[in-house]
Amino acid sequence: MNKQNFLYVILGLLLLPLGTACSNDEIVTDGGQVNVATGMEFPVTFADYNEEEQVGNTRATANESDTIGHQIVDMGNGIVADVTIRKDYENLSSKSEQATRAIANDRYTMLAYQSGVLKGEVTGHIFGNTFTPSGATTSINLSPGNYDFVLYPTGSFTRSGNNLTTSSVSEQTMIGRASYTVTSTPNKQKVPFVMKHIAARVRIRFSTYIAARQDGPAPNTIQLDAVNSAELPNNATYDAVAGTWSYDGAKNNFAKGYAYNVYPETKMIESSETSPIGSIYQYTYPNYSYVIPAPHLTKLKATLNGLTIYKETFNNKSFTFTPSPALDMVANGSYLVNITMRYNFVYLMHDGTTGLLTETTYGGGTKTPIGLVVSQSKRLAVALTEIGSYKWSDGISGQANSQTFQSYQLLFSDQTKVNDPSGYKWTWEPSGSYDGVTIKANDQTHYPAFYAAAHYTPTLPSGVNLTGSIVGKKWYLPSLGEIMYLCTGIDKTGTAWQRRFSTGGSMLMADWPLVVGTSYYGDGIPLDMFLLAIKQVGGNTTFDRYKNILSSSETSGIGLSLGGFGYGNGITLHDGMIDRCVENYVWPFVNY
């Protein structure tokens, strides 16, 4: 070997250890271990509620359509509480908001496990969405291999070995877990943490179809409690090795909200007048209750205080409900308890019997409703849908029915004639026609509204047929008096039935009759209650407060009378001349 080559070899041997040491001195210590403080980074992001839930060791992406439980509870006095528990996807943060979410300046501890054995821990803070070790314990030296890292707020937990226990939770209390394979290279390895809430959050929404009324100065509240306090834990323990939660302890309080639009933090939402189910008054308490998740909650108690709903006053009034299936809450879960107050109307069923909402397939029962009962004593029911708009007649001149009434005879005077209950006669019987021969139910050309009502057939689910006493019953165009039964039969507001007139003022029914020639209406039934009765059992309508229900009655002297839910949400008797050719809504009636 010549001198020149020999010098190159010697130089190379001298430089080799120097170069190797310079390239790895930031991440490798003696023995080939990685220095956590200098060789690794820990970026932190913050998961929103329901973003991704973990039940045991199984991960499942939340579905917005998830309804966890539903039950209808009869509260007595005709009112039923329709309770639904579902995952709450409102008030969630955007991805950018999550990435920059501020976090309290708490001290955090990070644990490193390998095969279930604690290899070390460091403490520090989260700054700029990065966990940075600081303080007396800032470093762990880890050999290459698979590790589980756990990051938690030090002051929020009591630590006993590998168990982290807390009894106090807030929106800011979060914990993160990351699995990562440590290698000897590259430089500055990144172990990302996704922080998730330890607590579950709950809020309450309360809905009625007639505005709830404040009862006295006391706060109008809804309090939710666990019937079995042992089902609502007071402590949560995280197993840092297994990555699972366990719960113990007992408490009652679950969630609380205000039920009335009195306080600024409570919001009332009213739908439009032409909403398919009428106006709904919705009180949503915007603040959440943060609780230790109940792993298997089977029964809750709701206590209402300080408000009046329909005719019922609730002061410390409670009812219980049973989620089915049971409510299995998880950490980082968000839940909405929606309580809608409905009314237990009486319905005509597909088998000819009658029963309450709770007996129908829409209220947990087995029977299919086909009509709303408006008078049990008269055995009278109205269809669950209007069948469209039709003309009373084709404009033929002369009297159509065999009897005519003055307007005051229809509604306001002689009790032997009041209400004219003869819709079936005017529709189906020859004696109900002026000529004593025509059956208007079969005359589609001259009496389209009568024909349409008479040929109505309820739409039934597949596999369900009309049976029993309802088979062969004929539907018909109701008289104005029978439409009055619709008002008085399902009036659930306690409002006095009144007669008002265009010149102002009002008089009770006992003061009737008044002078014919003005328009009268009653306040006996809010339109929303009628629409509620229809819609809560799957009925269909586009009816609103500006439309009229067509009656089969005929008045003399001033033209055709129409029954309608008009101004004042009651029956409107129009005393002005109404064209027989004007189309109006047809709601068939039936005597069951």
Side-chain angles (χ1 to χ4, degrees), residues 1-14:
M1 179 181 298
N2 61 37
K3 183 183 291 186
Q4 184 177 5
N5 289 336
F6 177 77
L7 291 174
Y8 286 150
V9 171
I10 295 301
L11 181 60
L13 291 173
L14 290 173

Side-chain angles (χ1 to χ4, degrees), residues 80 209 277 341-345 347 357 360 362-363 531-539:
V80 294
Y209 289 84
I277 56 173
M341 292 300 187
R342 304 189 187 277
Y343 212 91
N344 216 2
F345 295 102
Y347 293 93
L357 168 67
T360 73
Y362 296 89
L531 298 181
L532 165 61
I534 296 300
K535 295 297 291 186
Q536 71 181 4
V537 291

Side-chain angles (χ1 to χ4, degrees), residues 538-558:
N540 180 41
T541 179
T542 58
F543 192 74
D544 64 45
R545 68 184 70 250
Y546 300 110
K547 298 175 182 176
N548 294 307
I549 295 177
L550 190 61
S551 79
S552 58
S553 301
E554 183 186 27
T555 61
S556 63
I558 58 173

